[in-house]
Amino acid sequence: MKLRTAMTFVLALGISGVAYAADPIIIKYSHVVADTTPKGQAALKFKEIAEKLLPGKVEVQVFPNSQLFGDGKEMEALLLGDVQILAPSLSKFSKYTKKLQVFDLPFLFDDINAVGRFQNSAKGRELFTSMEDKGIVGFGFIHNGMKQFSANVPLYTPADAKGLKFRIQASDVLEAQFKAVGANPQKIAFAEVYQALQSGVVDGAENPWANIYTKKFHEVQKFITESNHGVLDYMVIANAKWWNGLPADVKKGLSQAMEESIAFGNHVALTEDDDFRAKVIADKKAAVVQLSAAQKQQWRTAMKPVWAQFEGEIGKDLIDAALQANEKAAPAKKEEEAKSKHHSKK
Ligand code: SIN
């Protein structure tokens, strides 16, 4: 009798073991921005698609606004397995690879389309494996947008920034960028930026429109200079060991969810950047400063020495490939010009 009880217990354990293994795989996707930003929307789209493709097999938990981990802690958490997916700003990877610093070089890209062309090039895609030796796998880039300077004084020329304190992300390139114009950069986590601007710990910052609007930075800055001087984009990453250990069917479904959600995030970024800009302007809290071509050239000239400073760490090949992405528009432009000449002759 006793033996039968023991056997029943063992069987029950076995059965419950099977039931336990069938529990959904919990996937935590953590980020530091609002749900309505391109990255925020991409993360929610990933959840929607992944759970639809793998019903009962995965549960995706999205944590926006630094709720689970903020800057500084999130990468460590990924490597410890406390979170499975992140999409940090490309400025926050220098501990793991110096190559991504290419995205921080000021005035390297003409616009967000050039950034996209570089990201989709062979050189750009190679960057997904640039942190393999650190146990990190990259899946794709998500745009946020081009960055704008902000401060409590209007910034027309580099001389206007001299002596001001600017909040920057944890990037040595961005530090050099502000030092190049005689300003004082300070590395501060994203979750603390509003407070730092409001309390005067720093005088200014640099952000794309989506972050300015969703975090209300324009309410604590008197001026925003439409400088488009650099880019703030993301790489979606996972812990390579976790990813490689997933069952094949789960990996397949998640790969599809990853691809589609990244495309969705990029679509949001490209189509909503103007809306975020318009909302900031409509709020009338900060005045938007426009630069003349000559003023923009002054900023470019002052900041460009940063390229040479970091060329050794980044690699000339990557910088050249990024510059080529600016030029790729030229043939299309030339074609258009030729067409319009042809039409005007008719
Ligand atoms: C983010 O967009 O993820 C934050 C960027 C920042 O720290 O400025």
mmCIF file of all heavy atoms in Angstrom, residues 215-264:
data_model
loop_
_atom_site.group_PDB
_atom_site.id
_atom_site.type_symbol
_atom_site.label_atom_id
_atom_site.label_comp_id
_atom_site.label_asym_id
_atom_site.label_seq_id
_atom_site.Cartn_x
_atom_site.Cartn_y
_atom_site.Cartn_z
ATOM 1 N N LYS A 215 8.424 63.220 -22.934
ATOM 2 C CA LYS A 215 8.974 63.422 -21.578
ATOM 3 C C LYS A 215 8.859 64.875 -21.130
ATOM 4 O O LYS A 215 9.429 65.269 -20.103
ATOM 5 C CB LYS A 215 10.444 62.964 -21.529
ATOM 6 C CG LYS A 215 10.603 61.456 -21.618
ATOM 7 C CD LYS A 215 10.007 60.760 -20.401
ATOM 8 C CE LYS A 215 9.977 59.265 -20.576
ATOM 9 N NZ LYS A 215 9.193 58.576 -19.535
ATOM 10 N N LYS A 216 8.142 65.678 -21.947
ATOM 11 C CA LYS A 216 7.865 67.083 -21.586
ATOM 12 C C LYS A 216 9.126 67.928 -21.376
ATOM 13 O O LYS A 216 9.126 68.865 -20.572
ATOM 14 C CB LYS A 216 6.977 67.156 -20.330
ATOM 15 C CG LYS A 216 5.646 66.433 -20.434
ATOM 16 C CD LYS A 216 4.828 66.726 -19.194
ATOM 17 C CE LYS A 216 3.616 65.858 -19.011
ATOM 18 N NZ LYS A 216 2.679 65.748 -20.078
ATOM 19 N N PHE A 217 10.198 67.601 -22.063
ATOM 20 C CA PHE A 217 11.425 68.393 -21.900
ATOM 21 C C PHE A 217 11.201 69.838 -22.373
ATOM 22 O O PHE A 217 11.830 70.755 -21.872
ATOM 23 C CB PHE A 217 12.599 67.770 -22.682
ATOM 24 C CG PHE A 217 13.007 66.405 -22.185
ATOM 25 C CD1 PHE A 217 13.580 65.476 -23.056
ATOM 26 C CD2 PHE A 217 12.841 66.037 -20.854
ATOM 27 C CE1 PHE A 217 13.955 64.207 -22.609
ATOM 28 C CE2 PHE A 217 13.209 64.780 -20.402
ATOM 29 C CZ PHE A 217 13.763 63.863 -21.279
ATOM 30 N N HIS A 218 10.297 70.001 -23.359
ATOM 31 C CA HIS A 218 10.030 71.355 -23.875
ATOM 32 C C HIS A 218 9.349 72.235 -22.836
ATOM 33 O O HIS A 218 9.279 73.443 -22.997
ATOM 34 C CB HIS A 218 9.196 71.275 -25.158
ATOM 35 C CG HIS A 218 7.849 70.633 -24.975
ATOM 36 N ND1 HIS A 218 7.672 69.369 -24.466
ATOM 37 C CD2 HIS A 218 6.606 71.095 -25.229
ATOM 38 C CE1 HIS A 218 6.387 69.081 -24.419
ATOM 39 N NE2 HIS A 218 5.725 70.112 -24.873
ATOM 40 N N GLU A 219 8.833 71.631 -21.761
ATOM 41 C CA GLU A 219 8.202 72.434 -20.708
ATOM 42 C C GLU A 219 9.236 72.976 -19.732
ATOM 43 O O GLU A 219 8.940 73.850 -18.919
ATOM 44 C CB GLU A 219 7.152 71.591 -19.971
ATOM 45 C CG GLU A 219 6.017 71.180 -20.905
ATOM 46 C CD GLU A 219 4.884 70.454 -20.214
ATOM 47 O OE1 GLU A 219 4.904 70.353 -18.962
ATOM 48 O OE2 GLU A 219 3.983 69.977 -20.926
ATOM 49 N N VAL A 220 10.454 72.438 -19.801
ATOM 50 C CA VAL A 220 11.502 72.913 -18.879
ATOM 51 C C VAL A 220 12.726 73.433 -19.650
ATOM 52 O O VAL A 220 13.835 73.475 -19.123
ATOM 53 C CB VAL A 220 11.903 71.805 -17.856
ATOM 54 C CG1 VAL A 220 10.811 71.632 -16.817
ATOM 55 C CG2 VAL A 220 12.167 70.465 -18.551
ATOM 56 N N GLN A 221 12.487 73.775 -20.916
ATOM 57 C CA GLN A 221 13.538 74.384 -21.743
ATOM 58 C C GLN A 221 12.897 75.559 -22.489
ATOM 59 O O GLN A 221 11.783 75.421 -23.025
ATOM 60 C CB GLN A 221 14.082 73.380 -22.774
ATOM 61 C CG GLN A 221 14.855 72.239 -22.159
ATOM 62 C CD GLN A 221 16.316 72.589 -21.866
ATOM 63 O OE1 GLN A 221 17.196 72.305 -22.637
ATOM 64 N NE2 GLN A 221 16.558 73.211 -20.709
ATOM 65 N N LYS A 222 13.578 76.693 -22.546
ATOM 66 C CA LYS A 222 12.955 77.850 -23.217
ATOM 67 C C LYS A 222 13.118 77.798 -24.739
ATOM 68 O O LYS A 222 12.309 78.327 -25.471
ATOM 69 C CB LYS A 222 13.574 79.144 -22.676
ATOM 70 C CG LYS A 222 13.221 79.410 -21.213
ATOM 71 C CD LYS A 222 13.402 80.886 -20.879
ATOM 72 C CE LYS A 222 12.873 81.201 -19.510
ATOM 73 N NZ LYS A 222 13.800 80.845 -18.424
ATOM 74 N N PHE A 223 14.191 77.148 -25.203
ATOM 75 C CA PHE A 223 14.459 77.139 -26.654
ATOM 76 C C PHE A 223 14.864 75.742 -27.133
ATOM 77 O O PHE A 223 15.594 75.036 -26.426
ATOM 78 C CB PHE A 223 15.604 78.108 -27.010
ATOM 79 C CG PHE A 223 15.268 79.542 -26.704
ATOM 80 C CD1 PHE A 223 15.627 80.098 -25.474
ATOM 81 C CD2 PHE A 223 14.593 80.326 -27.635
ATOM 82 C CE1 PHE A 223 15.297 81.411 -25.176
ATOM 83 C CE2 PHE A 223 14.275 81.644 -27.343
ATOM 84 C CZ PHE A 223 14.628 82.198 -26.110
ATOM 85 N N ILE A 224 14.409 75.418 -28.327
ATOM 86 C CA ILE A 224 14.879 74.196 -29.000
ATOM 87 C C ILE A 224 15.438 74.616 -30.354
ATOM 88 O O ILE A 224 14.740 75.278 -31.129
ATOM 89 C CB ILE A 224 13.740 73.181 -29.205
ATOM 90 C CG1 ILE A 224 13.190 72.760 -27.836
ATOM 91 C CG2 ILE A 224 14.224 71.957 -29.985
ATOM 92 C CD1 ILE A 224 11.898 72.010 -27.881
ATOM 93 N N THR A 225 16.692 74.284 -30.596
ATOM 94 C CA THR A 225 17.316 74.612 -31.881
ATOM 95 C C THR A 225 17.161 73.419 -32.815
ATOM 96 O O THR A 225 17.615 72.307 -32.488
ATOM 97 C CB THR A 225 18.815 74.937 -31.687
ATOM 98 O OG1 THR A 225 18.904 76.141 -30.928
ATOM 99 C CG2 THR A 225 19.509 75.141 -33.019
ATOM 100 N N GLU A 226 16.504 73.659 -33.950
ATOM 101 C CA GLU A 226 16.280 72.555 -34.898
ATOM 102 C C GLU A 226 17.592 72.288 -35.644
ATOM 103 O O GLU A 226 17.808 72.764 -36.752
ATOM 104 C CB GLU A 226 15.156 72.915 -35.870
ATOM 105 C CG GLU A 226 14.708 71.713 -36.650
ATOM 106 C CD GLU A 226 13.296 71.839 -37.187
ATOM 107 O OE1 GLU A 226 12.780 72.962 -37.310
ATOM 108 O OE2 GLU A 226 12.730 70.784 -37.492
ATOM 109 N N SER A 227 18.456 71.523 -35.002
ATOM 110 C CA SER A 227 19.819 71.345 -35.510
ATOM 111 C C SER A 227 20.004 70.055 -36.309
ATOM 112 O O SER A 227 20.888 69.991 -37.159
ATOM 113 C CB SER A 227 20.797 71.338 -34.327
ATOM 114 O OG SER A 227 20.326 70.457 -33.326
ATOM 115 N N ASN A 228 19.189 69.042 -36.030
ATOM 116 C CA ASN A 228 19.333 67.730 -36.713
ATOM 117 C C ASN A 228 20.806 67.319 -36.804
ATOM 118 O O ASN A 228 21.250 66.805 -37.830
ATOM 119 C CB ASN A 228 18.737 67.810 -38.125
ATOM 120 C CG ASN A 228 17.238 67.957 -38.095
ATOM 121 O OD1 ASN A 228 16.547 67.209 -37.417
ATOM 122 N ND2 ASN A 228 16.712 68.948 -38.795
ATOM 123 N N HIS A 229 21.544 67.548 -35.731
ATOM 124 C CA HIS A 229 23.009 67.382 -35.786
ATOM 125 C C HIS A 229 23.476 65.942 -35.584
ATOM 126 O O HIS A 229 24.654 65.639 -35.785
ATOM 127 C CB HIS A 229 23.663 68.268 -34.714
ATOM 128 C CG HIS A 229 23.234 67.888 -33.332
ATOM 129 N ND1 HIS A 229 22.044 68.307 -32.773
ATOM 130 C CD2 HIS A 229 23.826 67.110 -32.383
ATOM 131 C CE1 HIS A 229 21.924 67.806 -31.557
ATOM 132 N NE2 HIS A 229 22.989 67.077 -31.292
ATOM 133 N N GLY A 230 22.591 65.085 -35.168
ATOM 134 C CA GLY A 230 22.994 63.693 -34.921
ATOM 135 C C GLY A 230 21.760 62.821 -34.850
ATOM 136 O O GLY A 230 20.632 63.312 -34.976
ATOM 137 N N VAL A 231 21.981 61.542 -34.616
ATOM 138 C CA VAL A 231 20.849 60.611 -34.620
ATOM 139 C C VAL A 231 20.717 59.902 -33.277
ATOM 140 O O VAL A 231 21.711 59.681 -32.581
ATOM 141 C CB VAL A 231 21.007 59.586 -35.776
ATOM 142 C CG1 VAL A 231 22.221 58.686 -35.582
ATOM 143 C CG2 VAL A 231 19.754 58.747 -35.938
ATOM 144 N N LEU A 232 19.462 59.592 -32.915
ATOM 145 C CA LEU A 232 19.241 58.737 -31.743
ATOM 146 C C LEU A 232 18.394 57.557 -32.207
ATOM 147 O O LEU A 232 17.202 57.700 -32.459
ATOM 148 C CB LEU A 232 18.541 59.494 -30.608
ATOM 149 C CG LEU A 232 18.619 58.821 -29.223
ATOM 150 C CD1 LEU A 232 18.332 59.822 -28.115
ATOM 151 C CD2 LEU A 232 17.746 57.599 -29.080
ATOM 152 N N ASP A 233 19.059 56.439 -32.390
ATOM 153 C CA ASP A 233 18.386 55.205 -32.810
ATOM 154 C C ASP A 233 18.727 54.083 -31.827
ATOM 155 O O ASP A 233 19.482 54.304 -30.871
ATOM 156 C CB ASP A 233 18.841 54.822 -34.226
ATOM 157 C CG ASP A 233 18.032 55.549 -35.302
ATOM 158 O OD1 ASP A 233 17.260 56.450 -34.962
ATOM 159 O OD2 ASP A 233 18.192 55.201 -36.485
ATOM 160 N N TYR A 234 18.184 52.916 -32.102
ATOM 161 C CA TYR A 234 18.325 51.791 -31.157
ATOM 162 C C TYR A 234 18.752 50.511 -31.846
ATOM 163 O O TYR A 234 18.493 50.338 -33.041
ATOM 164 C CB TYR A 234 16.969 51.512 -30.491
ATOM 165 C CG TYR A 234 16.312 52.740 -29.931
ATOM 166 C CD1 TYR A 234 15.231 53.336 -30.582
ATOM 167 C CD2 TYR A 234 16.774 53.328 -28.767
ATOM 168 C CE1 TYR A 234 14.623 54.475 -30.078
ATOM 169 C CE2 TYR A 234 16.175 54.460 -28.250
ATOM 170 C CZ TYR A 234 15.097 55.035 -28.910
ATOM 171 O OH TYR A 234 14.513 56.165 -28.410
ATOM 172 N N MET A 235 19.350 49.597 -31.059
ATOM 173 C CA MET A 235 19.512 48.228 -31.549
ATOM 174 C C MET A 235 18.722 47.315 -30.616
ATOM 175 O O MET A 235 18.865 47.413 -29.394
ATOM 176 C CB MET A 235 20.971 47.782 -31.582
ATOM 177 C CG MET A 235 21.130 46.441 -32.327
ATOM 178 S SD MET A 235 22.752 45.698 -32.164
ATOM 179 C CE MET A 235 23.699 46.683 -33.304
ATOM 180 N N VAL A 236 17.899 46.466 -31.217
ATOM 181 C CA VAL A 236 17.149 45.493 -30.406
ATOM 182 C C VAL A 236 18.081 44.312 -30.163
ATOM 183 O O VAL A 236 18.647 43.753 -31.107
ATOM 184 C CB VAL A 236 15.865 45.018 -31.126
ATOM 185 C CG1 VAL A 236 15.050 44.132 -30.187
ATOM 186 C CG2 VAL A 236 15.038 46.200 -31.597
ATOM 187 N N ILE A 237 18.252 43.942 -28.900
ATOM 188 C CA ILE A 237 19.228 42.900 -28.543
ATOM 189 C C ILE A 237 18.645 41.878 -27.555
ATOM 190 O O ILE A 237 17.643 42.154 -26.879
ATOM 191 C CB ILE A 237 20.509 43.523 -27.913
ATOM 192 C CG1 ILE A 237 20.138 44.394 -26.686
ATOM 193 C CG2 ILE A 237 21.281 44.343 -28.916
ATOM 194 C CD1 ILE A 237 21.326 44.745 -25.819
ATOM 195 N N ALA A 238 19.318 40.734 -27.500
ATOM 196 C CA ALA A 238 18.959 39.712 -26.501
ATOM 197 C C ALA A 238 20.242 39.059 -26.000
ATOM 198 O O ALA A 238 21.310 39.192 -26.616
ATOM 199 C CB ALA A 238 18.050 38.663 -27.117
ATOM 200 N N ASN A 239 20.101 38.371 -24.900
ATOM 201 C CA ASN A 239 21.192 37.566 -24.356
ATOM 202 C C ASN A 239 21.351 36.359 -25.295
ATOM 203 O O ASN A 239 20.407 35.583 -25.492
ATOM 204 C CB ASN A 239 20.774 37.118 -22.945
ATOM 205 C CG ASN A 239 21.782 36.228 -22.281
ATOM 206 O OD1 ASN A 239 22.359 35.352 -22.914
ATOM 207 N ND2 ASN A 239 21.979 36.446 -21.000
ATOM 208 N N ALA A 240 22.535 36.229 -25.916
ATOM 209 C CA ALA A 240 22.744 35.210 -26.955
ATOM 210 C C ALA A 240 22.503 33.792 -26.416
ATOM 211 O O ALA A 240 21.934 32.943 -27.109
ATOM 212 C CB ALA A 240 24.153 35.333 -27.515
ATOM 213 N N LYS A 241 22.904 33.543 -25.187
ATOM 214 C CA LYS A 241 22.773 32.200 -24.621
ATOM 215 C C LYS A 241 21.282 31.848 -24.474
ATOM 216 O O LYS A 241 20.856 30.741 -24.810
ATOM 217 C CB LYS A 241 23.473 32.163 -23.251
ATOM 218 C CG LYS A 241 23.870 30.797 -22.827
ATOM 219 C CD LYS A 241 24.796 30.852 -21.636
ATOM 220 C CE LYS A 241 24.752 29.525 -20.911
ATOM 221 N NZ LYS A 241 25.120 29.643 -19.516
ATOM 222 N N TRP A 242 20.518 32.809 -23.980
ATOM 223 C CA TRP A 242 19.067 32.592 -23.837
ATOM 224 C C TRP A 242 18.442 32.340 -25.205
ATOM 225 O O TRP A 242 17.699 31.387 -25.404
ATOM 226 C CB TRP A 242 18.427 33.822 -23.167
ATOM 227 C CG TRP A 242 16.931 33.798 -23.215
ATOM 228 C CD1 TRP A 242 16.095 33.055 -22.438
ATOM 229 C CD2 TRP A 242 16.083 34.533 -24.134
ATOM 230 N NE1 TRP A 242 14.792 33.277 -22.803
ATOM 231 C CE2 TRP A 242 14.748 34.180 -23.833
ATOM 232 C CE3 TRP A 242 16.323 35.434 -25.161
ATOM 233 C CZ2 TRP A 242 13.661 34.716 -24.533
ATOM 234 C CZ3 TRP A 242 15.240 35.979 -25.852
ATOM 235 C CH2 TRP A 242 13.929 35.612 -25.537
ATOM 236 N N TRP A 243 18.790 33.207 -26.162
ATOM 237 C CA TRP A 243 18.217 33.118 -27.505
ATOM 238 C C TRP A 243 18.542 31.776 -28.152
ATOM 239 O O TRP A 243 17.666 31.095 -28.695
ATOM 240 C CB TRP A 243 18.730 34.284 -28.355
ATOM 241 C CG TRP A 243 18.257 34.256 -29.770
ATOM 242 C CD1 TRP A 243 18.969 33.923 -30.871
ATOM 243 C CD2 TRP A 243 16.931 34.561 -30.237
ATOM 244 N NE1 TRP A 243 18.188 34.006 -32.007
ATOM 245 C CE2 TRP A 243 16.927 34.387 -31.641
ATOM 246 C CE3 TRP A 243 15.743 34.955 -29.611
ATOM 247 C CZ2 TRP A 243 15.796 34.611 -32.427
ATOM 248 C CZ3 TRP A 243 14.608 35.169 -30.398
ATOM 249 C CH2 TRP A 243 14.642 35.000 -31.769
ATOM 250 N N ASN A 244 19.813 31.368 -28.069
ATOM 251 C CA ASN A 244 20.228 30.120 -28.715
ATOM 252 C C ASN A 244 19.650 28.883 -28.028
ATOM 253 O O ASN A 244 19.585 27.819 -28.634
ATOM 254 C CB ASN A 244 21.757 30.046 -28.790
ATOM 255 C CG ASN A 244 22.304 31.094 -29.738
ATOM 256 O OD1 ASN A 244 21.666 31.433 -30.733
ATOM 257 N ND2 ASN A 244 23.472 31.655 -29.427
ATOM 258 N N GLY A 245 19.215 29.039 -26.788
ATOM 259 C CA GLY A 245 18.657 27.892 -26.057
ATOM 260 C C GLY A 245 17.154 27.734 -26.255
ATOM 261 O O GLY A 245 16.549 26.804 -25.718
ATOM 262 N N LEU A 246 16.521 28.614 -27.014
ATOM 263 C CA LEU A 246 15.064 28.526 -27.196
ATOM 264 C C LEU A 246 14.711 27.370 -28.138
ATOM 265 O O LEU A 246 15.460 27.089 -29.078
ATOM 266 C CB LEU A 246 14.540 29.831 -27.804
ATOM 267 C CG LEU A 246 14.516 31.071 -26.896
ATOM 268 C CD1 LEU A 246 14.186 32.311 -27.720
ATOM 269 C CD2 LEU A 246 13.522 30.904 -25.758
ATOM 270 N N PRO A 247 13.540 26.720 -27.926
ATOM 271 C CA PRO A 247 13.110 25.678 -28.871
ATOM 272 C C PRO A 247 12.964 26.278 -30.274
ATOM 273 O O PRO A 247 12.615 27.458 -30.414
ATOM 274 C CB PRO A 247 11.738 25.245 -28.328
ATOM 275 C CG PRO A 247 11.671 25.765 -26.930
ATOM 276 C CD PRO A 247 12.597 26.927 -26.827
ATOM 277 N N ALA A 248 13.217 25.448 -31.303
ATOM 278 C CA ALA A 248 13.248 25.949 -32.686
ATOM 279 C C ALA A 248 11.964 26.667 -33.092
ATOM 280 O O ALA A 248 12.006 27.716 -33.743
ATOM 281 C CB ALA A 248 13.538 24.786 -33.630
ATOM 282 N N ASP A 249 10.789 26.104 -32.705
ATOM 283 C CA ASP A 249 9.523 26.735 -33.134
ATOM 284 C C ASP A 249 9.342 28.116 -32.485
ATOM 285 O O ASP A 249 8.852 29.054 -33.109
ATOM 286 C CB ASP A 249 8.325 25.817 -32.847
ATOM 287 C CG ASP A 249 8.172 25.512 -31.364
ATOM 288 O OD1 ASP A 249 9.203 25.483 -30.644
ATOM 289 O OD2 ASP A 249 7.027 25.322 -30.910
ATOM 290 N N VAL A 250 9.787 28.212 -31.233
ATOM 291 C CA VAL A 250 9.660 29.486 -30.512
ATOM 292 C C VAL A 250 10.587 30.527 -31.149
ATOM 293 O O VAL A 250 10.208 31.675 -31.400
ATOM 294 C CB VAL A 250 9.974 29.297 -28.999
ATOM 295 C CG1 VAL A 250 10.044 30.630 -28.271
ATOM 296 C CG2 VAL A 250 8.946 28.385 -28.359
ATOM 297 N N LYS A 251 11.780 30.087 -31.446
ATOM 298 C CA LYS A 251 12.774 30.970 -32.073
ATOM 299 C C LYS A 251 12.243 31.498 -33.412
ATOM 300 O O LYS A 251 12.390 32.676 -33.735
ATOM 301 C CB LYS A 251 14.051 30.162 -32.314
ATOM 302 C CG LYS A 251 15.309 30.928 -32.073
ATOM 303 C CD LYS A 251 16.455 29.953 -32.097
ATOM 304 C CE LYS A 251 17.753 30.662 -32.221
ATOM 305 N NZ LYS A 251 18.867 29.767 -32.303
ATOM 306 N N LYS A 252 11.607 30.612 -34.164
ATOM 307 C CA LYS A 252 11.081 30.991 -35.481
ATOM 308 C C LYS A 252 9.993 32.067 -35.322
ATOM 309 O O LYS A 252 10.007 33.096 -35.992
ATOM 310 C CB LYS A 252 10.512 29.736 -36.166
ATOM 311 C CG LYS A 252 10.094 29.960 -37.584
ATOM 312 C CD LYS A 252 9.877 28.621 -38.300
ATOM 313 C CE LYS A 252 9.317 28.850 -39.678
ATOM 314 N NZ LYS A 252 7.919 28.484 -39.830
ATOM 315 N N GLY A 253 9.071 31.799 -34.411
ATOM 316 C CA GLY A 253 7.976 32.758 -34.185
ATOM 317 C C GLY A 253 8.507 34.090 -33.672
ATOM 318 O O GLY A 253 8.082 35.160 -34.118
ATOM 319 N N LEU A 254 9.453 34.019 -32.750
ATOM 320 C CA LEU A 254 9.998 35.264 -32.188
ATOM 321 C C LEU A 254 10.797 36.042 -33.237
ATOM 322 O O LEU A 254 10.788 37.274 -33.247
ATOM 323 C CB LEU A 254 10.877 34.973 -30.966
ATOM 324 C CG LEU A 254 10.158 34.445 -29.723
ATOM 325 C CD1 LEU A 254 11.151 34.287 -28.569
ATOM 326 C CD2 LEU A 254 9.010 35.346 -29.290
ATOM 327 N N SER A 255 11.487 35.319 -34.123
ATOM 328 C CA SER A 255 12.245 36.005 -35.190
ATOM 329 C C SER A 255 11.286 36.796 -36.075
ATOM 330 O O SER A 255 11.565 37.936 -36.453
ATOM 331 C CB SER A 255 12.997 35.009 -36.071
ATOM 332 O OG SER A 255 13.933 34.323 -35.305
ATOM 333 N N GLN A 256 10.149 36.171 -36.382
ATOM 334 C CA GLN A 256 9.164 36.866 -37.224
ATOM 335 C C GLN A 256 8.601 38.088 -36.489
ATOM 336 O O GLN A 256 8.477 39.172 -37.062
ATOM 337 C CB GLN A 256 8.039 35.892 -37.597
ATOM 338 C CG GLN A 256 7.058 36.513 -38.574
ATOM 339 C CD GLN A 256 5.939 35.551 -38.975
ATOM 340 O OE1 GLN A 256 6.123 34.326 -38.949
ATOM 341 N NE2 GLN A 256 4.798 36.114 -39.341
ATOM 342 N N ALA A 257 8.299 37.881 -35.207
ATOM 343 C CA ALA A 257 7.750 38.996 -34.401
ATOM 344 C C ALA A 257 8.770 40.131 -34.309
ATOM 345 O O ALA A 257 8.427 41.317 -34.358
ATOM 346 C CB ALA A 257 7.382 38.491 -33.009
ATOM 347 N N MET A 258 10.024 39.753 -34.204
ATOM 348 C CA MET A 258 11.108 40.729 -34.095
ATOM 349 C C MET A 258 11.164 41.550 -35.385
ATOM 350 O O MET A 258 11.162 42.770 -35.358
ATOM 351 C CB MET A 258 12.403 39.933 -33.893
ATOM 352 C CG MET A 258 13.535 40.644 -33.267
ATOM 353 S SD MET A 258 13.145 41.301 -31.672
ATOM 354 C CE MET A 258 13.949 40.166 -30.587
ATOM 355 N N GLU A 259 11.198 40.825 -36.509
ATOM 356 C CA GLU A 259 11.327 41.502 -37.815
ATOM 357 C C GLU A 259 10.149 42.448 -38.062
ATOM 358 O O GLU A 259 10.329 43.603 -38.437
ATOM 359 C CB GLU A 259 11.377 40.416 -38.900
ATOM 360 C CG GLU A 259 11.925 40.918 -40.210
ATOM 361 C CD GLU A 259 11.998 39.800 -41.237
ATOM 362 O OE1 GLU A 259 12.499 38.713 -40.904
ATOM 363 O OE2 GLU A 259 11.521 40.021 -42.345
ATOM 364 N N GLU A 260 8.937 41.948 -37.806
ATOM 365 C CA GLU A 260 7.755 42.769 -38.097
ATOM 366 C C GLU A 260 7.633 43.948 -37.133
ATOM 367 O O GLU A 260 7.228 45.043 -37.530
ATOM 368 C CB GLU A 260 6.488 41.898 -38.058
ATOM 369 C CG GLU A 260 6.434 40.948 -39.234
ATOM 370 C CD GLU A 260 5.212 40.034 -39.223
ATOM 371 O OE1 GLU A 260 4.223 40.348 -38.532
ATOM 372 O OE2 GLU A 260 5.262 38.989 -39.903
ATOM 373 N N SER A 261 7.987 43.733 -35.870
ATOM 374 C CA SER A 261 7.845 44.832 -34.894
ATOM 375 C C SER A 261 8.905 45.908 -35.143
ATOM 376 O O SER A 261 8.652 47.102 -34.953
ATOM 377 C CB SER A 261 7.918 44.301 -33.458
ATOM 378 O OG SER A 261 9.172 43.705 -33.211
ATOM 379 N N ILE A 262 10.077 45.500 -35.601
ATOM 380 C CA ILE A 262 11.140 46.474 -35.905
ATOM 381 C C ILE A 262 10.719 47.324 -37.119
ATOM 382 O O ILE A 262 10.841 48.550 -37.116
ATOM 383 C CB ILE A 262 12.490 45.747 -36.131
ATOM 384 C CG1 ILE A 262 13.026 45.239 -34.792
ATOM 385 C CG2 ILE A 262 13.513 46.662 -36.814
ATOM 386 C CD1 ILE A 262 14.229 44.322 -34.883
ATOM 387 N N ALA A 263 10.163 46.654 -38.133
ATOM 388 C CA ALA A 263 9.681 47.395 -39.312
ATOM 389 C C ALA A 263 8.579 48.373 -38.900
ATOM 390 O O ALA A 263 8.535 49.521 -39.363
ATOM 391 C CB ALA A 263 9.169 46.413 -40.358
ATOM 392 N N PHE A 264 7.717 47.914 -37.995
ATOM 393 C CA PHE A 264 6.627 48.781 -37.524
ATOM 394 C C PHE A 264 7.187 50.000 -36.788
ATOM 395 O O PHE A 264 6.776 51.139 -37.025
ATOM 396 C CB PHE A 264 5.699 47.961 -36.602
ATOM 397 C CG PHE A 264 4.567 48.755 -36.029
ATOM 398 C CD1 PHE A 264 3.466 49.050 -36.817
ATOM 399 C CD2 PHE A 264 4.607 49.223 -34.721
ATOM 400 C CE1 PHE A 264 2.409 49.799 -36.293
ATOM 401 C CE2 PHE A 264 3.563 49.969 -34.192
ATOM 402 C CZ PHE A 264 2.459 50.248 -34.985
#
